[in-house]
Amino acid sequence: MNQHILVVEDEADIAAIVVDYLRHAGYTAEHVADGRAALERIGQIPPPDLTLLDIMLPGMDGLEVLRQARRITQNPVIMLTARVEEVDRLIGLELGADDYICKPFSPREVVARVKAVLRRATLAQPEAAPPPSALVLDEAQWQATLHGTPLALTRREFRLLQVLARQPGRIHSRAQLLDLAYDDTLDVQERAIDSHIKNLRKKLDKVTGGSGHEWIRSVYGVGFAFDAPEA
Ligand code: CA
């Protein structure tokens, strides 16, 4: 099964070359020229396996596309940027881009980066993810069950758990959690996340009572990671 790459780039000739190289490298690839079209495509099922996302786009810029895309999928995103200053913004914003490539680039370099990022993403796929029966998150009902027992989470706790559990083992900073799990970030302090995490842990522990498994690990100075129990 070929991996599918979405190229978001408003410069048609650059996009055409990149798409061409990606196809030669064995990927399927498609091109859209603006941010809204990109989000529309990323929202389809299945989402692209990887998105190459230009920052300077007409209408909605690439950073906003990335922010919104992260609510839909954690599949890798490589940013394309014409200016080095944008790289700082990219990193500073902690929006969760997987890599970035500065323009001008060679299409070969793009293919090499795509390969590397996809390989990394595949390796990071959790082998020890909780079996589907253990933790079930029903988004339609805002209902989480662990081993069949309802967890009675608040919406915030549900969203936090959803974001963390989607990528077991991956460390999320408070800023990332704020961005991904909270819709109304204006009145939420990063510190509030700590108390929501504390409540989540309590509710998870209550079900697995005394197994000693730490569901949500604190990483000092960095953030939190969801750890699936060893099977
Ligand atoms: Ca552009």
Side-chain angles (χ1 to χ4, degrees):
M1 208 173 53
N2 285 340
Q3 286 172 299
H4 189 69
I5 317 295
L6 176 66
V7 179
V8 187
E9 168 66 78
D10 56 322
E11 287 162 80
D13 44 349
I14 294 183
I17 294 170
V18 170
V19 164
D20 200 38
Y21 267 75
L22 288 168
R23 287 182 181 155
H24 274 287
Y27 300 104
T28 58
E30 72 183 290
H31 162 231
V32 296
D34 67 78
R36 293 197 189 279
L39 279 176
E40 211 167 279
R41 174 58 191 91
I42 290 166
Q44 287 169 19
I45 297 171
D49 295 295
L50 183 146
T51 301
L52 284 164
L53 180 55
D54 188 28
I55 292 185
M56 296 288 275
L57 292 167
M60 185 192 299
D61 77 9
L63 295 174
E64 182 57 23
V65 174
L66 175 60
R67 210 175 66 80
Q68 296 195 30
R70 279 294 177 242
R71 296 174 191 264
I72 302 169
T73 173
Q74 293 297 315
N75 284 356
V77 174
I78 300 177
M79 304 301 291
L80 305 175
T81 170
R83 292 185 314 186
V84 180
E85 310 91 80
E86 285 174 340
V87 174
D88 292 337
R89 254 180 95 205
L90 208 56
I91 294 166
L93 282 170
E94 296 192 75
L95 287 174
D98 294 80
D99 203 352
Y100 60 86
I101 301 173
C102 289
K103 290 178 176 179
F105 49 69
S106 78
R108 273 174 219 283
E109 183 193 358
V110 173
V111 170
R113 295 286 194 91
V114 165
K115 270 188 196 161
V117 168
L118 280 173
R119 198 182 312 123
R120 211 162 68 202
T122 313
L123 289 177
Q125 286 285 320
E127 301 251 326
S133 58
L135 178 65
V136 178
L137 298 170
D138 176 356
E139 193 163 1
Q141 317 258 3
W142 294 91
Q143 170 82 257
T145 53
L146 182 61
H147 299 299
T149 308
L151 287 170
L153 304 182
T154 64
R155 285 195 179 203
R156 278 212 165 127
E157 290 161 2
F158 182 93
R159 288 283 288 150
L160 267 176
L161 183 59
Q162 194 180 33
V163 168
L164 288 165
R166 203 147 48 186
Q167 291 182 293
R170 174 162 169 180
I171 300 161
H172 293 77
S173 69
R174 286 178 179 78
Q176 281 169 335
L177 290 175
L178 209 56
D179 200 59
L180 292 170
Y182 294 75
D183 297 325
D184 47 348
T185 51
L186 285 179
D187 60 337
V188 180
Q189 303 272 318
E190 287 192 10
R191 222 175 316 150
I193 292 176
D194 292 63
S195 74
H196 294 142
I197 294 272
K198 198 172 140 196
N199 292 336
L200 251 182
R201 281 183 175 137
K202 259 192 222 152
K203 290 177 181 179
L204 288 161
D205 281 349
K206 208 171 149 193
V207 173
T208 46
S211 69
H213 177 71
E214 194 183 13
W215 290 93
I216 301 171
R217 178 164 48 97
S218 299
V219 183
Y220 185 75
V222 185
F224 301 98
F226 178 86
D227 283 330
E230 311 232 335

